[in-house]
Amino acid sequence: MTRTRVKICCISSVKEAEMAMAAGADALGFVAAMPSGPGIVSDATIRAVTADVPPPVATFLLSSRATGTDLAEHVRHCGTNTVQIVDHIDPAELAVLAVSLPMVRRVQVIHVEGPEALDLIPRYEPYIHAFLLDSGKPGGTMRELGGTGRTHDWAVSAEFVKRTGKPVFLAGGLRAGNVAEAIATVKPFGVDLCSGVRTDGHLDQDKLDAFMAAVRGA
């Protein structure tokens, strides 16, 4: 059986990073400036925390920038080894990013609003290392690019996993009580969450331990 990887998002301090890594997290997510959503921290904080994260733990910069040049500049400034592109940007910009920072891993977020999400696989697949399926609404009046705490249609996500050759992370409303079902249904490479392991915005040790135990049990 393949082990399901875990990414703990909305990391805001060295203490939270240490808690997540001690619990067994494979990756840490850092939320930069966004139009909405929880867990936003300054670029300076991201850089300070990632400086202390040892390999092989991956550090994801969640960036809402829309051009390859701006994304590359953002990653250089924050010092992460992975960039999570949270909007459905022009794929040509990912090609620019790949040339600018070839050693940085590129993860494209797909917001699963319906079966049309499957049409985005060939659009982005040539330019990225992994997908992350989330529950935002990038085209709405109030643009949501993640951190909604909502689940989406896992049947679409399961079909997405079947159709792509890239690893897929599943996000959106995950918690200890539903992650086993999510893994069984979607069979993702990894799972990703923010609010599901937090209380009043802070990483909660009990919720974190329960979530990691549920993933291992699945």
Side-chain angles (χ1 to χ4, degrees), residues 24-185:
D26 301 282
L28 308 176
F30 300 86
V31 184
M34 295 284 160
S36 65
I40 296 171
V41 292
S42 69
D43 290 354
T45 296
I46 296 171
R47 186 175 186 86
V49 177
T50 57
D52 288 329
V53 176
V57 177
T59 52
F60 284 54
L61 169 65
L62 279 68
S63 181
S64 61
R65 300 192 185 186
T67 71
T69 300
D70 283 349
L71 284 162
E73 188 276 333
H74 203 184
V75 175
R76 290 191 188 99
H77 184 68
C78 292
T80 61
N81 56 36
T82 304
V83 59
Q84 181 173 320
I85 301 99
V86 301
D87 207 349
H88 296 167
I89 68 171
D90 184 340
E93 299 299 339
L94 294 174
V96 172
L97 176 61
V99 172
S100 299
L101 290 178
M103 299 304 292
V104 170
R105 306 294 89 179
R106 299 176 299 280
V107 178
Q108 177 63 50
V109 172
I110 301 296
H111 295 288
V112 182
E113 299 183 77
E116 62 274 11
L118 301 170
D119 298 334
L120 297 176
I121 295 173
R123 176 177 168 87
Y124 288 113
E125 198 170 48
Y127 305 102
I128 52 95
H129 299 94
F131 285 108
L132 188 146
L133 305 181
D134 208 344
S135 304
K137 293 184 177 181
T141 303
M142 174 61 77
R143 298 177 70 233
E144 294 179 317
L145 300 177
T148 67
R150 298 191 304 263
T151 57
H152 54 260
D153 187 345
W154 289 342
V156 175
S157 294
E159 185 62 25
F160 197 105
V161 170
K162 291 176 183 177
R163 292 193 190 186
T164 181
K166 300 291 186 178
V168 176
F169 287 85
L170 178 67
L174 298 179
R175 58 188 186 279
N178 68 2
V179 70
E181 180 186 358
I183 291 171
T185 302

